[in-house]
């Protein structure tokens, strides 16, 4: 009899264990329906009456702790918990989304916003008054089918870092057009230094000479990449026919540092700092991530990458890819909106800009002193036409980056075939 | 009474069985299902596409590169890793002072994290700034110093294979060492009486008696090469220009980068079937060798 009891007790324990294990992955899902109701209760009444709320903010790069402290001072019942995901951010976030894990606010890449918006996992912030504080193009990047889900917070120009000392010694001016860039490169090559270095071990770091042209395409047609994503335009259309030509020209003319294809992003920075090449195309983050304040091997400068030919304007592409979004199943949607409103204040944005050493998309929110390069670079960016770097659909980068590597390796490529490859990848996402 | 025993056995295995069903069998069977769908990895719906993912996999131009790399890794690892490890096992099977330390030193890379090893070797190989180019330059081998180990598509997969050999030689050596220690000394004595020298003893006594260890080692190595992911992911991410693509990298890219979880899962199923088939053939062939010896 007692054995029988033992059997059933053990069975119940085992099933309970199973239920607990199964529950681990889905507890958040059961909260989703109650989300709005919970926040409405929390939002009502004075701050002192409110229950403590912990808002989790998941990002891949540093945030401003001073801004967080100020927010917590203003709303003492809210605590911001920063969750930094250093690597494989996209993949980790995807698994968290699938399992509806415990998240409130996070950065998302623009194409992730487009993907996740279809699955109702993002908070709709359309029409929030503080959206007017952001650049129009930034709000557009977080808007899908007329609904706004997020706004990219930081904004960093794609630039050509250059050895100002060497330019001075050779009597070179900052190039304003593609032809001038080629002429400058020829002179640098003649002096015995490699004009440029582009490593390709990290696929993403190969792209900037080529993707700097995105701004030009957007200058001609602001909706061009939305049309490419929808299938209305194709990579094989005539307007993209010279897309790979610039990089190929640099490789064919020997303007890229030899044997540098195997270098990773940070190794390229090291090679550039050692003076082995005179220019390095990269986002402005290349400075804050690789140069110490006491760097003195040479004077460093940066200028917008001039990919414009003929009568095309000089365009600066601004990478603005960390869209601040809220998740739809968070119980604290009102508090998320409070945070979003708080960081949209230009004065608060200036603190963020200074502390994270990056420009921001809040109008008037970029600190004048956010980077030692800012004072010389900003006038050049202002003199050009600024365009926000567009969002590519998910199948493009895994195909585009190996194509860049092929070109850097000087493989015998037919650029029209490469564009067909790109379109084949695009077709998977349409 | 028999029923009571049976019930007790069941109770003992039940917790482990539940965990196995939940975390192993469940995902395997759900993976089987998703391989036949167009699931993107995060959507709450997945449409049945039949065999389309498998048809597309066999049309995928990267599949051939992955197969070629699988073969290169397997050959290089089997030839180099097993030659070195058998040699080291024989040398370190002697009764010498400090032999335990020497075994530990050779085994050490096995206990290191593969990610750490990948990063360290990336810096070793890095052109211009890495250890190897600087070392070769210092000793006057300028041709070797100029090599872009991970950036040259014709070299990169071999550079990765060398790191695998470096890391796992100690592991194979330990299995061979265990095999050697089970060989009775009397057999060597008998061989000596028959006039066999060290060379003959190695070829005619040691190696044939090590065949069970060879089977275990080569099967493990080939499986490791077939599902290779970590080293490639850290050192080249499948590049340059897809030259180091492996099944593991492709599955990861399709499943997690390009939102084609269904297709990635189908690719994983193809890899699993290939591993099963190759392992079966390998065990059969090597077992025949063992019987023949």
């Amino acid at each position: 009899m007692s054995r029988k009891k033992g059997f059933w007790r053990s069975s119940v324990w085992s099933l309970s264990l199973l239920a607990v294990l199964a529950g681990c992955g889905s507890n958040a899902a059961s909260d989703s329906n109650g989300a709005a109701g919970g926040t409405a209760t929390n939002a009502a009444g004075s701050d002192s009456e409110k229950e403590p709320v912990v808002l989790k903010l998941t990002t891949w790069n540093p945030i401003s702790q001073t801004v967080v402290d100020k927010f917590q001072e203003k709303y003492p019942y809210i605590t911001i918990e920063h969750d930094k995901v250093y690597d494989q951010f996209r993949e980790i976030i995807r698994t968290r989304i699938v399992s509806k894990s415990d998240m409130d606010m996070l950065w998302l890449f623009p194409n992730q916003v487009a993907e996740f918006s279809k699955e109702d996992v993002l908070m709709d912030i359309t029409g929030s008054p503080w959206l007017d504080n952001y650049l129009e193009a930034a709000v557009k990047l977080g808007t899908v089918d007329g609904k706004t889900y997020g706004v990219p917070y930081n904004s960093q120009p794609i630039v050509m870092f250059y050895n100002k000392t060497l330019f001075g010694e050779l009597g070179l001016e900052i190039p304003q057009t593609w032809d001038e860039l080629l002429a400058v490169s020829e002179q640098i090559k003649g002096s015995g230094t490699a004009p440029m270095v582009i490593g390709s071990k990290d696929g993403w770091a190969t792209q900037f000479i080529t993707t700097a042209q995105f701004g030009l395409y957007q200058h001609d047609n602001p909706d061009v990449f939305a049309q490419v994503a929808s299938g209305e335009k194709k990579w094989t259309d005539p307007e993209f026919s010279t897309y790979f030509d610039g990089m190929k020209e640099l490789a064919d003319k020997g303007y890229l540092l030899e044997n540098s294809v195997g270098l990773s992003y940070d190794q390229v920075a090291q090679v550039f700092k050692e003076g082995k090449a005179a220019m390095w195309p990269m986002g402005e983050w290349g400075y804050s991530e690789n140069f110490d304040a006491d760097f003195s091997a040479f004077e460093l400068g940066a200028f917008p990458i001039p990919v414009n030919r003929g009568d095309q304007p000089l365009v600066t592409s601004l990478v603005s890819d960390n869209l601040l979004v809220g998740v739809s199943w968070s119980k604290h949607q009102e508090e998320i909106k409070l945070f979003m409103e708080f960081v949209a204040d230009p004065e608060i944005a200036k603190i963020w800009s200074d502390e994270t050493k990056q420009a921001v998309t809040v109008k008037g929110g970029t600190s004048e002193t956010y980077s030692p390069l800012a004072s010389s670079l900003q006038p050049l960016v202002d003199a050009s036409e600024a365009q926000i770097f567009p969002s590519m659909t998910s199948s493009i980068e895994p195909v585009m980056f190996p194509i860049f590597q092929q070109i850097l390796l000087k493989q015998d490529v037919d650029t029209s075939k490469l564009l067909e490859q790109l379109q084949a990848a695009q077709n998977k996402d349409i | 009474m028999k029923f009571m025993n049976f019930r007790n056995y069941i109770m003992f295995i039940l917790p482990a069985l539940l965990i196995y069903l939940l975390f192993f069998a469940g995902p395997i069977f759900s993976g089987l299902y998703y391989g036949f769908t167009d699931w993107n990895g995060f959507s709450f719906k997945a449409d049945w596409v039949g065999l389309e993912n498998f048809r597309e996999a066999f049309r995928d131009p990267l599949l051939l590169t992955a197969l070629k790399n699988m073969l290169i890794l397997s050959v290089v690892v089997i030839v180099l890793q097993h030659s070195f490890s058998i040699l080291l096992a024989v040398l370190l099977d002697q009764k010498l002072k400090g032999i335990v330390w020497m075994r530990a030193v050779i085994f050490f890379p096995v206990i290191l994290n593969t990610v750490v090893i990948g990063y360290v070797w990336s810096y070793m190989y890095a052109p211009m700034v890495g250890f190897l180019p600087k070392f070769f330059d210092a000793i006057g081998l300028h041709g070797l110093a100029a090599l872009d180990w991970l950036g040259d598509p014709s070299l990169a997969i071999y550079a990765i294979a060398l790191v695998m050999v470096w890391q796992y030689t100690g592991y194979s050596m330990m299995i061979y060492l265990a095999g050697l220690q089970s060989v009775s000394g009397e057999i060597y004595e008998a061989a000596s009486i028959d006039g066999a020298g060290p060379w003959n003893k190695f070829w005619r006594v040691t190696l044939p008696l090590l065949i069970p260890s060879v089977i275990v080692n080569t099967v493990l190595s080939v499986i490791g090469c077939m599902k290779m992911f970590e080293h490639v992911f850290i050192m080249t991410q499948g590049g340059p220009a897809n030259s180091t693509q492996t099944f593991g990298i492709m599955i990861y890219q399709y499943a997690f980068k390009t939102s084609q979880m269904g297709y990635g899962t189908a690719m994983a199923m193809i890899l699993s079937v290939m591993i099963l088939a190759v392992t079966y053939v390998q065990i059969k062939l090597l077992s025949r060798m063992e019987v023949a010896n």
Side-chain angles (χ1 to χ4, degrees):
Chain A
M1 188 68 183
S2 63
R3 280 192 172 189
K4 262 189 183 175
K5 263 188 186 172
F7 173 77
W8 287 112
R9 198 175 293 146
S10 308
S11 305
V12 168
W13 273 110
S14 304
L15 287 170
S16 306
L17 175 69
L18 182 64
V20 168
L21 289 171
C24 288
S26 61
N27 59 337
S30 60
D31 295 338
S32 61
N33 293 334
T39 42
T41 317
N42 283 340
S46 70
D47 286 0
S48 58
E49 292 167 1
K50 289 172 181 164
E51 282 180 23
V53 168
V54 177
L55 278 186
K56 200 180 260 183
L57 172 60
T58 308
T59 73
W60 64 78
N61 57 359
I63 61 168
S64 164
Q65 192 53 47
T66 312
V67 167
V68 168
D69 292 344
K70 281 184 180 292
F71 176 75
Q72 291 175 158
E73 251 172 54
K74 189 172 178 185
Y75 302 101
Y77 67 102
I78 307 177
T79 305
I80 301 287
E81 191 181 282
H82 184 213
D83 167 32
K84 191 173 172 189
V85 178
Y86 288 87
D87 202 11
Q88 305 301 313
F89 186 86
R90 283 173 190 271
E91 293 69 32
I92 289 169
I93 292 303
R94 180 194 296 263
T95 55
R96 289 187 185 179
I97 295 269
V98 172
S99 60
K100 285 204 167 179
S101 71
D102 181 21
M103 292 193 293
D104 297 297
M105 303 180 286
L106 66 153
W107 292 156
L108 277 186
F109 289 99
N111 55 12
Q112 286 182 301
V113 171
E115 283 179 348
F116 295 147
S117 66
K118 293 171 194 154
E119 308 299 332
D120 293 330
V121 296
L122 304 178
M123 264 173 64
D124 182 358
I125 54 169
T126 313
S128 302
W130 39 266
L131 286 174
D132 295 339
N133 292 10
Y134 288 94
L135 296 172
E136 199 182 326
V139 178
K140 193 177 166 189
L141 202 63
T143 303
V144 185
D145 296 332
K147 285 187 180 174
T148 305
Y149 299 98
V151 190
Y153 199 70
N154 290 111
S155 152
Q156 305 195 67
I158 293 175
V159 296
M160 185 74 86
F161 289 107
Y162 74 108
N163 182 333
K164 226 173 187 175
T165 310
L166 183 70
F167 267 54
E169 285 166 10
L170 298 175
L172 301 172
E173 294 290 321
I174 290 176
Q176 301 284 324
T177 63
W178 180 256
D179 288 337
E180 286 178 19
L181 181 69
L182 292 182
V184 160
S185 301
E186 186 59 39
Q187 275 184 273
I188 296 169
K189 188 181 172 190
S191 75
T193 301
M196 220 176 281
V197 58
I198 303 174
S200 86
K201 186 180 159 238
D202 294 310
W204 66 269
T206 56
Q207 65 176 302
F208 296 110
I209 274 289
T210 309
T211 54
Q213 297 171 96
F214 285 169
L216 284 174
Y217 297 129
Q218 287 170 311
H219 165 81
D220 294 337
N221 172 3
D223 296 321
V224 62
F225 290 106
Q227 290 167 352
V228 167
S230 69
E232 196 181 327
K233 279 208 170 295
K234 295 190 185 306
W235 286 100
T236 45
D237 287 350
E239 64 207 271
F240 297 115
S241 61
T242 57
Y243 179 59
F244 294 115
D245 291 1
M247 181 183 263
K248 193 167 182 314
E249 197 173 1
L250 292 178
D252 290 346
K253 289 187 169 165
Y255 293 158
L256 302 174
L257 181 64
E258 287 291 324
N259 281 340
S260 57
V261 176
L263 293 173
S264 62
Y265 158 68
D266 47 344
Q267 288 163 351
V268 167
Q270 194 182 334
V271 163
F272 176 67
K273 283 157 75 175
E274 286 177 8
K276 290 190 165 77
M279 294 182 279
W280 174 36
M282 182 47 59
E284 197 193 13
W285 60 85
Y287 176 76
S288 57
E289 290 177 0
N290 297 290
F291 289 83
D292 298 326
D294 57 354
F295 174 74
S296 59
F298 55 81
E299 196 184 348
L300 179 72
F303 56 83
I305 301 176
V307 286
N308 49 314
R309 298 162 195 253
D311 57 355
Q312 289 176 319
L314 176 61
V315 174
T316 306
S317 289
L318 303 175
V319 173
S320 197
D321 58 2
N322 56 341
L323 287 95
L324 178 60
V325 300
V327 295
S328 60
W329 59 80
S330 167
K331 291 182 204 166
H332 312 300
Q333 307 215 355
E334 288 306 318
E335 286 79 6
I336 291 173
K337 285 180 183 169
L338 288 177
F339 184 79
M340 287 179 166
E341 183 177 11
F342 187 77
V343 296
D345 180 328
E347 289 310 312
I348 294 297
K350 268 188 185 165
I351 300 171
W352 188 292
S353 167
D354 242 340
E355 205 166 312
T356 59
K357 297 183 171 57
Q358 293 181 33
V360 293
T361 54
V362 177
K363 287 183 262 188
T366 297
S367 160
E368 295 79 9
T369 54
Y370 78 90
S371 153
L373 285 183
S375 59
S376 58
L377 175 62
Q378 199 56 45
L380 299 174
V381 173
D382 291 342
S384 68
E385 181 183 317
Q387 291 278 359
I388 297 264
F389 198 81
S391 162
M392 293 289 111
T393 56
S394 59
S395 295
I396 289 297
E397 288 182 353
V399 173
M400 194 190 284
F401 297 160
I403 289 178
F404 292 150
Q405 291 171 336
Q406 278 181 272
I407 296 172
L408 293 172
L409 285 162
K410 298 183 192 171
Q411 290 183 351
D412 187 19
V413 290
D414 176 349
T415 52
S416 59
K417 289 267 188 315
L418 298 181
L419 288 163
E420 282 170 19
Q421 270 183 45
L422 212 49
Q423 185 54 41
Q426 188 70 64
N427 290 341
K428 290 181 184 170
D429 297 330
I430 295 171
Chain B
M1 191 62 189
K2 270 189 175 174
F3 170 73
M4 300 296 248
N5 278 342
F6 176 72
R7 197 191 65 196
N8 286 345
Y9 294 146
I10 290 290
M11 292 315 297
F12 274 114
I13 63 164
L14 195 61
L17 186 68
L18 286 175
I19 289 172
Y20 176 81
L21 289 174
L22 204 64
F23 294 109
F24 292 89
I28 288 172
F29 286 108
S30 70
L32 275 175
Y33 167 72
Y34 284 118
F36 294 93
T37 70
D38 64 353
W39 190 43
N40 62 12
F42 57 85
S43 173
F44 299 109
K45 72 176 186 67
D47 291 327
W48 182 264
V49 293
L51 290 170
E52 184 50 37
N53 287 333
F54 296 90
R55 279 191 215 107
E56 196 182 334
F58 289 110
R59 288 194 297 261
D60 196 320
L62 293 182
L63 192 81
L64 267 182
T65 314
L67 283 171
K68 190 188 86 183
N69 287 334
M70 188 191 278
L71 195 68
I72 292 174
L73 286 174
S74 302
V75 170
V76 173
V77 165
I78 287 176
V79 172
L80 291 185
Q81 183 177 313
H82 294 281
S83 307
F84 288 145
S85 51
I86 289 174
L87 192 68
L88 285 167
V90 171
L91 289 175
L92 298 182
D93 192 34
Q94 315 299 316
K95 288 191 176 80
L96 298 171
K97 206 178 172 187
I99 208 83
V100 177
W101 281 104
M102 287 169 75
R103 287 176 191 168
V105 166
I106 292 163
F107 190 74
F108 182 67
V110 180
I111 61 168
L112 291 177
N113 185 305
T114 304
V115 175
V116 174
I117 286 176
Y119 277 116
V120 168
W121 275 93
S122 292
Y123 279 91
M124 299 266 285
Y125 280 136
M128 290 168 278
V129 291
F131 170 78
L132 285 180
K134 288 187 173 170
F135 172 74
F136 287 131
D137 244 343
I139 60 171
L141 297 172
H142 304 298
L144 281 176
L147 290 178
D148 188 352
W149 294 88
L150 297 175
D152 182 337
S154 58
L155 270 184
I157 193 69
Y158 295 99
I160 292 168
L162 287 182
V163 175
M164 290 175 67
V165 170
W166 175 82
Q167 185 179 0
Y168 294 119
T169 294
Y171 181 78
S172 304
M173 179 196 78
M174 281 298 175
I175 296 177
Y176 288 127
L177 210 46
L180 281 177
Q181 287 176 355
S182 66
V183 177
S184 164
E186 289 167 6
I187 301 176
Y188 288 110
E189 274 176 36
S192 297
I193 291 166
D194 287 344
W199 190 246
N200 270 332
K201 278 187 200 167
F202 176 75
W203 281 108
R204 296 181 187 278
V205 178
T206 309
L207 213 51
L209 289 172
L210 273 183
I211 290 294
S213 306
V214 172
I215 295 173
V216 172
N217 258 330
T218 49
V219 167
L220 289 177
S221 297
V222 171
I223 291 175
C225 291
M226 290 179 83
K227 63 187 184 75
M228 168 49 52
F229 177 77
E230 301 98 320
H231 296 81
V232 176
F233 185 72
I234 300 297
M235 290 198 278
T236 62
Q237 296 176 22
N242 288 322
S243 59
T244 57
Q245 278 290 352
T246 62
F247 270 88
I249 296 287
M250 284 169 73
I251 291 166
Y252 172 77
Q253 280 186 342
Y254 290 128
F256 295 102
K257 294 259 182 209
T258 67
S259 304
Q260 294 174 274
M261 185 64 86
Y263 183 46
T265 310
M267 197 68 102
M269 286 165 64
I270 294 172
L271 176 63
S272 304
V273 171
M274 280 171 56
I275 290 177
L276 280 173
V278 170
T279 306
Y280 177 79
V281 171
Q282 219 179 346
I283 289 176
K284 281 280 166 200
L285 284 176
L286 290 169
S287 300
R288 258 186 224 167
M289 273 174 70
E290 190 184 1
V291 172
N293 276 306

